[in-house]
Amino acid sequence: MRILILGGDGFCGWPTALYLSHKGHSVAILDNLIRREWDIELGANSLTPIAALNVRADAWEKLSGRPLQIFIGDLQDYNFVSNAFQDFRPEAVVHFAEQRSAPYSMIDRSHAVFTQVNNVVGALNVLFAMREYTPDAHLIKLGTMGEYGTPNIDIEEGYLEIEHNGRKDVMPYPKQPGSFYHLSKVHDSHNILFACRIWGLRATDLNQGVVYNVDTEETNSEEALYNRFDYDGVFGTALNRFCAETAIGYPMTVHGVGGQTRGFIDIRDTVRCIEIAAMNPAAQGEMKVYNQFTEQWSVLQLAERVQSVAQQMGLHPEISHVENPRVEKEDHYYNAKHTKLIDLGLQPHLLTDETIHGLLEKAVRYRDRIKMDLFPARVRWS
Ligand code: NAD
Ligand code: USQ
């Protein structure tokens, strides 16, 4: 298939591009490289060294013999988006290209506005380009489990059957997101559903949980292909941050009591889920929704898993309960369905001690690159 990866220079997009290229698909990457600018803005860096996009793409072509076509530009620029769609004519479009940090979206008014404009306008431009140039293509859009929030009932995969005053209907599951970033994903979901309904587009909305681990077989094959490893308080996510912190003896930053429970997924399963979605396109006019995670953990449970593996490695892991900078429930019911991708053939990499060991090892190897002052999460919700 001809697959266009929007956001293909990012944490999920780069390994997905290589995985699908390795599987024999014709892959193009579209990215405006803004993620690298946010690192500069925040004084942050990837724990692992990451090559420039043209350098990593050349390294991949040299290794695999498979070129990656590159489009550098902004999804907010419709002329650029139109040209890329007319040039590449994708059969599937994988959309990762958004501002994806909840803390970044909560810094202040301008970061909240930027996040929602970037994400909502970018996704709208993709929908219009698909309608105009590739109406049969399949949109695979990254949403997030955080769209649902933490309701006191089971979370279904996208839709909920409701009975009201004696009548029944199937409707989008109610959304109670926890940041302006997560809200942008809710807005996208509504726009995509509407575009499917009125224009007959096909789409799959993947409500992904928190991604952990860093590399896939392809990105691990040489240093020029390494994936980014975010560990700072804005873009770093729970388990990976705990490993980076432990690697230099910094106490793991569990927010509050740590009972916050989320769905988690290994990056190796992320790339496979995208492949599964691509191989099972939605029908014309349909928006499928899958919950893309494999296990639920509380953040304290994750910290304890890291602690146990790190002790076996002779490290000295500590867990600290820092004041929670977010407004979120720290002790709550959580039971989210996630069977649809398994039914389609996903064989999950569940969280093993070996995976945590690998992450800790990588963090120890690059510990000199860690800037300790990036660990505290300083962005406050209230
Ligand atoms: P990332 O920030 O590493 O990558 C996003 C990429 O998109 C970056 O390379 C960035 O330069 C590019 N981009 C952003 N805005 C753009 C624009 N307007 N035009 C062109 N390119 C643009 O993020 P990620 O971790 O790879 O996440 C990818 C997607 O998956 C996001 O939509 C995110 O919401 C979703 N997701 C991520 C996680 C996670 O834990 N990382 C979990 C659930 C869902
Ligand atoms: N947390 C800690 N300590 C830390 C970091 C986080 O206790 O050092 C807690 C947070 O308070 C939160 C939970 O861990 O309760 C998850 O936070 P996170 O930073 O790991 O992830 P989150 O902000 O939810 O966002 C990440 C990605 C985002 C994606 C989302 C999936 O950055 O793009 O949408 O995971 S989900 O959480 O399912 O919405």
Side-chain angles (χ1 to χ4, degrees), residues 100-103 143-147 181-182 185 208-211 234-239 241-242 245 252-256 258 260-264 299 322 324-326 328-329 334 375 377 381:
R100 67 101 174 139
S101 157
T144 174
M145 283 303 293
E147 290 181 41
Y181 151 70
H182 287 97
K185 296 288 193 183
Q208 185 170 238
V210 186
V211 182
V234 176
F235 276 92
T237 51
L239 179 67
R241 259 165 73 70
F242 295 159
E245 288 164 346
M252 284 178 264
T253 49
V254 169
H255 294 165
Q260 303 92 310
T261 302
R262 300 286 184 268
F264 286 83
V299 288
V322 298
N324 195 340
R326 306 185 185 199
E328 61 183 0
K329 291 180 197 154
Y334 199 76
F375 281 138
W381 261 228

Side-chain angles (χ1 to χ4, degrees), residues 41 89 194 245 247 341 358 369:
E41 176 193 346
R89 296 265 160 200
F194 183 70
E245 288 164 346
L341 284 158
R369 291 173 54 85

